[in-house]
Amino acid sequence: MTDHHIPLAGVIGHPVAHSRSPKLHGHWLKTYGIAGHYIPLDVAPADLEMVLRTLPKAGFVGANVTVPHKEAALRLADHVSDRASVIGAANTLVFRQDGSIHADNTDGYGFMENLRSGAPDWNPADGPAVVFGAGGAARAVLQALAQAGVPEILLTNRTRTRADHLKEEFGQRISVVDWVQAGNVIENAELVVNTTSLGMQGQPELRVPLDGLQPGAVVTDLVYAPLKTRLLEQAEEAGCTTVDGLGMLLHQAVPGFERWFGQRPEVDAYTRAAALA
């Protein structure tokens, strides 16, 4: 008798109802005619370990992990990829047949793929990048930019100590700039990245003076609600190339889907529409 095992995956968060991942993965499953399911899993922090140990027994092949579980999932994993280790958080888990958990972080990969597709002329070696924010997303972006060969990264955060901690971890290529000076350092930037939640629906605006933006610079915002933030609007007016944050969400999902369901999915206009539906 053959084993007709339907692979299951999902996204673990708390809360998780807002996640666009089920729509995204559901679209790919349908597009490629794969018998599988991807569901939202709202798990309280106290229950995370028990749930992660149980899911493989219930037919799950893996899961995405979102706030507030990314650091805890890394600690609970049996195997950790190098990039997840450097970033200090996991967003993609693969459950192996022996029940062990492999943790990866595809946020930096998703960020770079989004940048490459949205700004194909950008060359990492061309000049400095300015990064706003020093949270979990910033860690993934710093790791990706350093690996891509950006010569200098200027990091600025409202709380300077958090940025100083990241410099200690990520090393010489990073210079920390006081938040009040953020507007001044973008004048020489080839790339400007907002990793904060400022500018997101329901959050305060990003109040950094942007008149120093150079035409031809690339500006990207990890916020994707709204799709065109005030930062991207002003960058567009200044003649910059802009890249919205939705693509990072779509591209970071590709490696997980491929591992769980055995098909490398394509990120195209239909994928964007499905995630936004």
Side-chain angles (χ1 to χ4, degrees), residues 22-48:
K23 284 178 178 168
L24 169 60
H25 288 274
H27 162 75
W28 283 335
L29 286 167
K30 196 172 161 190
T31 300
Y32 298 109
I34 295 167
H37 297 282
Y38 184 102
I39 57 173
L41 299 157
D42 192 328
V43 177
D47 298 328
L48 182 65

Side-chain angles (χ1 to χ4, degrees), residues 7-241:
L8 307 176
V11 55
I12 302 171
H14 186 65
V16 81
H18 64 283
S19 173
R20 294 182 186 272
S21 295
K23 284 178 178 168
L24 169 60
H25 288 274
H27 162 75
W28 283 335
L29 286 167
K30 196 172 161 190
T31 300
Y32 298 109
I34 295 167
H37 297 282
Y38 184 102
I39 57 173
L41 299 157
D42 192 328
V43 177
D47 298 328
L48 182 65
E49 182 166 11
M50 181 185 69
V51 169
L52 288 182
R53 295 292 169 205
T54 306
L55 286 176
K57 298 172 186 156
F60 278 77
V61 289
N64 285 122
V65 187
T66 187
V67 179
H69 299 312
K70 288 184 166 192
E71 287 86 5
L74 187 78
R75 289 194 300 273
L76 293 168
D78 305 294
H79 314 277
V80 175
S81 72
D82 290 345
R83 59 190 176 185
S85 181
V86 170
I87 294 165
N91 75 336
T92 304
L93 305 178
V94 175
F95 303 140
R96 295 185 169 164
Q97 282 185 326
D98 61 2
S100 66
I101 299 168
H102 180 271
D104 192 11
N105 192 310
T106 63
D107 282 334
Y109 164 84
F111 169 75
M112 290 304 295
E113 287 298 307
N114 186 37
L115 209 48
R116 289 193 179 111
S117 68
D121 296 337
W122 173 71
N123 179 357
D126 282 348
V130 172
V131 176
F132 301 144
R139 299 177 71 95
V141 167
L142 293 176
Q143 186 260 343
L145 291 177
Q147 199 174 17
V150 172
E152 186 187 11
I153 301 166
L154 301 158
L155 179 64
T156 182
N157 189 53
R158 286 175 291 178
T159 315
R160 181 174 171 128
T161 48
R162 291 188 73 174
D164 287 333
H165 285 317
L166 286 188
K167 178 181 168 54
E168 279 170 31
E169 275 186 65
F170 284 90
Q172 293 305 313
R173 214 174 293 186
I174 293 170
S175 308
V176 176
V177 177
D178 281 325
W179 187 249
V180 290
Q181 298 296 323
N184 300 337
V185 293
I186 59 179
E187 289 176 15
N188 302 317
E190 291 292 331
L191 173 69
V192 177
V193 187
N194 176 37
T195 75
T196 75
S197 59
L198 297 172
M200 188 192 260
Q201 279 163 7
Q203 296 285 339
E205 283 294 348
L206 177 71
R207 301 212 180 280
V208 171
L210 299 171
D211 37 8
L213 282 173
Q214 296 299 313
V218 177
V219 179
T220 184
D221 201 328
L222 270 49
V223 169
Y224 56 83
L227 265 183
K228 191 180 280 188
T229 58
R230 190 167 150 264
L231 168 65
L232 295 184
E233 268 173 14
Q234 289 183 275
E236 219 168 70
E237 285 162 17
C240 300
T241 300

Side-chain angles (χ1 to χ4, degrees), residues 225-273:
L227 265 183
K228 191 180 280 188
T229 58
R230 190 167 150 264
L231 168 65
L232 295 184
E233 268 173 14
Q234 289 183 275
E236 219 168 70
E237 285 162 17
C240 300
T241 300
T242 61
V243 183
D244 70 47
L246 183 65
M248 176 172 167
L249 174 80
L250 307 180
H251 285 286
Q252 64 79 30
V254 168
F257 188 92
E258 183 178 19
R259 282 174 210 157
W260 305 325
F261 301 114
Q263 166 79 45
R264 188 166 184 84
E266 205 177 319
V267 174
D268 55 18
Y270 297 108
T271 313
R272 278 181 73 89

